[in-house]
Every structure is written in structure tokens, then in C-alpha cells.
Amino acid sequence: MSQNSIQPSGLVPDKRTKFLRALCTLSGVNAIYGIISGITTAISPPDVDDTFIVNLFEQLEKYELPIADLQDDVKEYYLNLMLDLGNFGAANFLFFAIQLIGIFMMYRLNRIGFTLYTVAQIGLAAAPIIFGSFNDFGKITFAITLVWNAIWVIMYATQIKYFHK
């Protein structure tokens, strides 16, 4: 007799795979870090004055980009992001909180958790372009983030067959 077949009456055998447990653990740690980071950024964004902007541009010019035409786009993107960092932090807090709820629900094998997680991943990919800039650099950042987040969504999608309504 296997261990799963011996269950007290009324209990369903645990259908969580080791892979789902690992995904939920890694994503949960990431979500908690994102929530803390989002709250701190929203509560105390940096003072963006002329000195801050000059230092930001000096730091950005230290690094040579593989596509030289993007230098102005990078400056615009990061300047806009720094000017609106408080709102960006608040948005990240919101999306990471939704992500954590989704992870918790998926860990409990609840299918709606997958939907919440997916929506949060789309929001986390879109937030930088909304608060940064919709220039070429912003679009590249959005695309890379969307691909990375899609990989995680696909990994969770492989576990949907174990979820219940």
C-alpha cells in the first residue's frame, strides 16, 4: 500500500508536485522581496534634483551600449523612472501582492491563483514602460521582461492539471 492511499476519511491526497512546491517557494520569496522593495520605494523615493540628474547621467555614460543610438533613450527612460519612482514602487507593491496571493492560491491547488499570477506578471512587465518611457529602450526592456515572466507563467501552466476549480 502506498502512503497516499492511507488517508483519514474526507481528506484528499496531496497532489502538489515537487516542481510546484519549488516554483511556489522561489516565487514567494521573490514576491515578498518585491512587496518590501515596493513599499520602501513608494514611501521614500529619492529627491530628484539637478545634482541627482547630473549624477544619474554620469553613471549612465560610464557604460557603453551595444547599440549606440539607444543612449538618449536610456537617459530618457531612467530620468522618467526616477522622477516617478514613488508611483513605480506603489505599482510594484500592488503587482507583487497580487502575485503572492496567486502563488498562495496555486499552492493550495486553486486554479484562480494561476490567473492572478499571470495578471501580476503582465503588470510587472508593463510598469517600467508606463513609468519609464515608451521609447525604443523601454520597448526592449518590456519585451525582455515579458519573455522572462512568460517563462515562469509557462512553468506554472504545466501544473494546471493538478489544480481544482
Side-chain angles (χ1 to χ4, degrees):
M1 246 184 176
S2 73
Q3 230 178 359
N4 285 342
S5 64
I6 304 174
Q7 292 289 326
S9 63
L11 291 181
V12 178
D14 185 9
K15 292 185 178 182
R16 279 182 219 100
T17 63
K18 289 180 182 179
F19 185 61
L20 179 62
R21 290 174 195 259
L23 281 176
C24 289
T25 302
L26 291 172
S27 298
V29 169
N30 178 51
I32 291 168
Y33 173 77
I35 288 170
I36 293 168
S37 175
I39 287 174
T40 359
T41 304
I43 291 174
S44 59
D47 292 330
V48 180
D49 55 6
D50 289 337
T51 307
F52 183 92
I53 294 170
V54 168
N55 288 337
L56 174 67
F57 287 166
E58 285 175 0
Q59 291 298 314
L60 291 174
E61 289 171 0
K62 285 183 181 178
Y63 303 99
E64 186 176 328
L65 296 174
I67 305 171
D69 295 342
L70 286 180
Q71 189 67 36
D72 289 338
D73 286 353
V74 171
K75 286 180 180 180
E76 177 189 359
Y77 175 84
Y78 281 108
L79 177 62
N80 290 340
L81 200 58
M82 290 299 113
L83 290 171
D84 215 4
L85 198 59
N87 292 331
F88 176 66
N92 276 349
F93 165 75
L94 173 70
F95 290 124
F96 277 115
I98 293 169
Q99 175 181 327
L100 188 60
I101 293 167
I103 293 164
F104 178 73
M105 293 178 82
M106 284 190 291
Y107 186 79
R108 305 268 327 250
L109 300 175
N110 192 327
R111 190 177 303 254
I112 193 72
F114 178 74
T115 304
L116 290 173
Y117 182 84
T118 302
V119 167
Q121 296 312 299
I122 294 168
L124 287 168
I129 201 168
I130 291 169
F131 296 105
S133 182
F134 198 69
N135 60 27
D136 289 338
F137 182 74
K139 291 174 190 174
I140 292 169
T141 303
F142 175 69
I144 291 170
T145 307
L146 201 56
V147 167
W148 176 253
N149 292 358
I151 290 169
W152 282 88
V153 169
I154 290 167
M155 288 192 292
Y156 276 110
T158 65
Q159 302 300 299
I160 287 180
K161 60 187 169 197
Y162 303 108
F163 297 169
H164 53 270
K165 294 181 184 178

